[in-house]
Amino acid sequence: WKQAAGEVVFSHFTKEEDRDVLPSPLIADLPEKPVEIPAFSKLRDVIFASRKTETLQDRVAPAVREKQVRGGTRVLSDQAACPFRAFARHRLHAEELEEPAEGLDASKRDKLVHLLMQNVWDELKDSTALQGDLSPAIERAAAAAVKEMAVEGRFAELERKRLARLGHEWFEKVEKARPPFSVVSTEEKRPIVFSGVTFDARIDRMDRLESGGHAILDYKTGGGNLTAKRWQGERPDEPQLPLYAVSAKEEITAVVFAKFRPGDMRFVGLSRDDKALPKVPKAKEGWQPLLADWKKEAERLGQSFAGGEARVDPKKDLITCRYCGLETLCRVYEKINVLAEEEIEEW
Ligand code: SF4
């Protein structure tokens, strides 16, 4: 190597963390001296210096032409969270790459709970069945759910037991404490229409209540602070349940998250009167005005999506962006100071 050219320059690093590092013995005999490196321009700076920029406000895409949009109510919840997110996901079909997870990821565990509850209620039908021994129905439902999700081997056994445990806790603590009801539908697909666009919705569950009307339930297995505030105001955090409520043909008198977390299982939501479900208060502003507000907001969101509104506008800045995955596409960090990320609080 030393003879390979008229002048050969060798370099070596001198530190590795706190340790001094010696050169390789192969070059130890060479004299050490500073190397003159001319000041080359950085390619980035050369490109930037030759720029001819023009500014273009590009916040509105062409209006949606399709009468039916795939993606369900998630389209409108994305529109509420950030119009660009809805545009990118549901019109450009941009999604972040999935990361492989060991075992079941959160969405598969969530799906298992949905299947468990669907299987149990397909068998029990109404609250009169809650007086008997529920163990056989829960065990059967848990086994069927695990099979349907193609979970296999020892892992399947663990999941089956975990699901059955969750099922027992839910039925003992929540369903048995309720006034009489019957389950009208589970995981029912139904189209909902806003601003002339049809969205394919899926309602986790609808119950007919003895106190009158129907309750819409949404199973929640994940983290986060579950409150009815998630449905309030402009650009609600979770507009799905309000969207179902205002488009249902049935008379809806309660809307609830079914909080499916071990040790803290309960309903969280709002109702027309406080007799519908245990500890579910009635809406302070009155039920009909609440439904009217939800309808107005649902129409506004539908109109905004259908009209092509696609501005980069995360509702709660980087809190909204945290689990989005589209930040390399929307380049939000060029708009919002990335250092602010450190100030994000849990919500
Ligand atoms: S990362 Fe943030 S700004 Fe970008 S699309 Fe997602 S929510 Fe919108």
Side-chain angles (χ1 to χ4, degrees), residues 228-288:
K229 284 190 185 148
R230 289 193 173 197
W231 306 324
Q232 282 173 359
E234 278 194 13
R235 303 177 67 185
D237 294 328
E238 300 235 12
Q240 289 91 337
L241 282 175
L243 291 169
Y244 300 149
V246 298
S247 48
K249 56 187 183 304
E250 297 84 354
E251 185 196 15
I252 304 301
T253 51
V255 164
V256 286
F257 292 126
K259 193 176 179 192
F260 222 95
R261 284 186 217 141
D264 187 22
M265 294 202 169
R266 60 196 161 95
F267 290 122
V268 177
L270 294 171
S271 61
R272 187 182 64 184
D273 48 61
D274 43 16
K275 295 178 195 68
L277 292 154
K279 296 189 186 151
V280 173
K282 61 180 175 186
K284 276 198 197 110
E285 57 275 66
W287 190 243
Q288 289 312 325

Side-chain angles (χ1 to χ4, degrees), residues 25-271:
L26 294 173
I27 57 169
D29 59 324
L30 296 179
E32 242 180 71
K33 53 184 177 183
V35 181
E36 296 294 323
I37 300 176
F40 294 112
S41 309
K42 286 185 187 155
L43 181 61
R44 186 195 64 185
D45 295 341
V46 172
I47 294 172
F48 200 68
S50 67
R51 73 193 183 278
K52 286 194 183 107
T53 55
E54 59 179 309
T55 307
L56 178 72
Q57 291 295 351
D58 192 16
R59 296 177 171 176
V60 184
V64 174
R65 271 185 278 162
E66 302 84 7
K67 289 267 172 280
Q68 176 125 20
V69 177
R70 287 175 55 198
T73 50
R74 190 178 170 208
V75 177
L76 296 182
S77 68
D78 284 342
Q79 188 73 20
C82 171
F84 185 82
R85 183 196 284 184
F87 170 71
R89 277 192 184 152
H90 306 290
R91 298 189 65 192
L92 303 182
H93 305 291
E95 284 287 350
E96 69 173 328
L97 291 176
E98 276 183 32
E99 278 184 31
E102 220 174 306
L104 295 176
D105 62 20
S107 85
K108 287 191 183 127
R109 281 171 186 256
D110 185 68
K111 176 98 172 92
L112 275 172
V113 166
H114 281 71
L115 286 170
L116 169 82
M117 295 303 287
Q118 184 179 17
N119 293 339
V120 176
W121 282 115
D122 280 354
E123 189 173 332
L124 300 184
K125 313 282 187 210
D126 61 39
S127 56
T128 54
L130 296 176
Q131 277 135 38
D133 178 11
L134 299 179
S135 294
I138 293 174
E139 297 293 335
R140 270 194 297 278
V146 168
K147 193 167 170 205
E148 208 168 317
M149 289 288 287
V151 186
E152 288 172 345
R154 173 87 184 108
F155 197 44
E157 186 53 21
L158 290 171
E159 273 306 308
R160 191 190 60 72
K161 282 191 184 149
R162 183 187 71 87
L163 268 187
R165 236 185 357 258
L166 284 176
H168 279 290
E169 185 178 342
W170 175 261
F171 278 89
E172 286 305 319
K173 288 195 181 150
V174 183
E175 305 282 17
K176 285 190 175 182
R178 292 177 56 184
F181 63 94
S182 59
V183 177
V184 178
S185 67
T186 54
E187 307 295 329
E188 187 198 353
K189 281 190 191 166
R190 54 167 74 178
I192 57 176
V193 184
F194 292 104
S195 294
V197 182
T198 304
F199 303 88
D200 48 334
R202 182 195 291 266
I203 300 179
D204 289 357
R205 182 169 141 198
M206 186 184 286
D207 291 357
R208 187 178 299 114
L209 307 174
E210 195 191 52
S211 57
H214 295 75
I216 298 181
L217 283 71
D218 183 11
Y219 298 118
K220 287 283 179 196
T221 55
N225 184 20
L226 277 187
T227 75
K229 284 190 185 148
R230 289 193 173 197
W231 306 324
Q232 282 173 359
E234 278 194 13
R235 303 177 67 185
D237 294 328
E238 300 235 12
Q240 289 91 337
L241 282 175
L243 291 169
Y244 300 149
V246 298
S247 48
K249 56 187 183 304
E250 297 84 354
E251 185 196 15
I252 304 301
T253 51
V255 164
V256 286
F257 292 126
K259 193 176 179 192
F260 222 95
R261 284 186 217 141
D264 187 22
M265 294 202 169
R266 60 196 161 95
F267 290 122
V268 177
L270 294 171
S271 61

